[in-house]
Amino acid sequence: MYCFDLTQGCPVDDSPHARAVGWLDGEHPFATGAVPPEFLQAIRRHVEKAWAPVVAKGVHFCEVCARARPGERRHAAGGNLWIPAQECVYVAPHLILHYIEAHQYRPPDAFVAAVLVCPPQGSEEYMRLLGDRSCWLTGGPGCRRR
């Protein structure tokens, strides 16, 4: 399920406003580095209470772990995270938290900034910011609803 960071659309949202972040695999390189502690706290809160317009029918296993530590138990998660910003909505898998903590993944600065100012998931302010930037709200022709 790899997508280059900031690619338009992602595996769960094809809205023209959606930008992929953190869709990693074991084959493609990705940015690494430290993230601000306040970002790590904020993204944890967002992942724990993520707005979920769609529920996965299973989990996705970390492909980075599979490559780095063959044969060892791999981390898995099944949800996704929508972070609205002024110009777009960032969409990331819940595994992004694992990628940051275990593999030192460094998300794009614009995503970090958006997470830091994003209101609580599902709140009135969050939904207002999300607006029509997700295919799950608009039902647009490119939406991958099933």
Side-chain angles (χ1 to χ4, degrees):
M1 291 222 258
Y2 179 81
C3 294
F4 286 106
D5 278 344
L6 306 179
T7 297
Q8 181 179 323
C10 68
V12 296
D13 196 329
D14 276 349
S15 163
H17 301 288
R19 299 294 177 268
V21 174
W23 296 88
L24 309 182
D25 67 12
E27 300 296 320
H28 295 86
F30 52 88
T32 58
V35 296
E38 60 273 15
F39 165 76
L40 196 52
Q41 291 171 351
I43 199 162
R44 275 192 194 118
R45 282 192 307 271
H46 285 292
V47 168
E48 287 171 4
K49 298 185 187 254
W51 172 72
V54 61
V55 179
K57 293 183 181 180
V59 297
H60 183 77
F61 289 93
C62 176
E63 295 174 33
V64 180
C65 284
R67 190 165 184 85
R69 301 183 297 262
E72 287 187 27
R73 186 168 181 241
R74 298 182 293 159
H75 190 83
N80 300 292
L81 181 65
W82 279 257
I83 301 291
Q86 291 300 321
E87 65 287 347
C88 66
V89 59
Y90 298 102
V91 185
H94 280 185
L95 273 175
I96 193 170
L97 185 58
H98 167 74
Y99 296 147
I100 293 165
E101 293 178 326
H103 303 296
Q104 293 72 49
Y105 167 59
R106 174 76 163 108
D109 290 340
F111 176 76
V112 171
V115 166
L116 289 171
V117 298
C118 184
Q121 296 280 310
S123 68
E124 194 173 307
E125 177 66 7
Y126 172 88
M127 297 307 288
R128 186 188 67 70
L129 280 173
L130 195 56
D132 63 356
R133 294 188 186 112
S134 170
C135 75
W136 294 99
L137 294 174
T138 64
C143 191
R144 292 189 177 152
R145 289 185 181 189
R146 294 192 171 101

